[in-house]
Amino acid sequence: MESALANHLSTKLSTSSLPSGTLFYLFIGLLTEDQNIMRAVKDDLIAVKERDPTCISYVHCFLNFKGYLACQAHRVAHNWWLTRRKILALLIQNRVSEVFAVDIHPGAKIGRGILFYHATRVVIGETTVIGNNVNFA
């Protein structure tokens, strides 16, 4: 799961000046190291499959739901924000905003089991705290 997520996010968020190989290396390092992030990734996937009637499978969500992908990229950026890699965290935030039209500040705290319906134009600020099992419409 870690490798699949790192690969998918790095492909989606890459640019000519930020190659997918570099992003994959950064993502896979953190995702294999931090099991709390991976538990949240899995809880979010289950939440979308169980609570969004448009989701036909876990793979469908994993590959296509931009709210889900934006949330997972945020989880990585949030870790980097907390570990004083703020420039890298803000770089990911910016790319997520450009690619998915979802703007989540890396300082925001987001629980597990999160579902973003449609997600376009969602903005979550730095001081926001979101608990577990929350739906955004």
Side-chain angles (χ1 to χ4, degrees):
M1 179 79 164
E2 292 87 344
S3 182
L5 182 58
N7 184 61
H8 194 48
L9 286 176
S10 65
T11 300
K12 291 278 189 183
L13 299 177
S14 66
T15 66
S16 59
S17 61
L18 188 62
S20 63
T22 301
L23 284 174
F24 177 82
Y25 174 77
L26 292 167
F27 289 150
I28 196 68
L30 180 58
L31 294 174
T32 55
E33 177 182 298
D34 192 328
Q35 289 307 302
N36 288 326
I37 291 177
M38 289 312 300
R39 275 193 292 276
V41 165
K42 293 170 188 174
D43 287 348
D44 293 345
L45 191 61
I46 291 167
V48 175
K49 176 66 174 81
E50 289 180 353
R51 300 194 312 247
D52 188 339
T54 67
C55 184
I56 60 174
S57 71
Y58 293 110
V59 171
H60 178 226
C61 171
F62 185 87
L63 294 177
N64 301 301
F65 281 43
K66 66 182 180 173
Y68 173 79
L69 294 170
C71 188
Q72 305 329 307
H74 165 75
R75 294 187 185 291
V76 172
H78 182 68
N79 177 282
W80 290 335
W81 184 261
L82 295 177
T83 57
R84 302 189 189 281
R85 298 174 82 181
K86 292 186 177 189
I87 298 300
L88 187 54
L90 291 168
L91 175 69
I92 296 303
Q93 173 201 7
N94 183 59
R95 285 299 299 149
V96 167
S97 180
E98 291 172 347
V99 173
F100 300 125
V102 178
D103 191 355
I104 308 171
H105 190 281
K109 296 175 184 153
I110 298 180
R112 296 173 13 188
I114 303 301
L115 167 59
F116 289 96
Y117 288 109
H118 306 291
T120 301
R121 291 190 238 157
V122 167
V123 177
I124 298 173
E126 179 179 5
T127 60
T128 303
V129 177
I130 300 169
N132 295 328
N133 303 312
V134 175
N135 295 359
F136 287 90

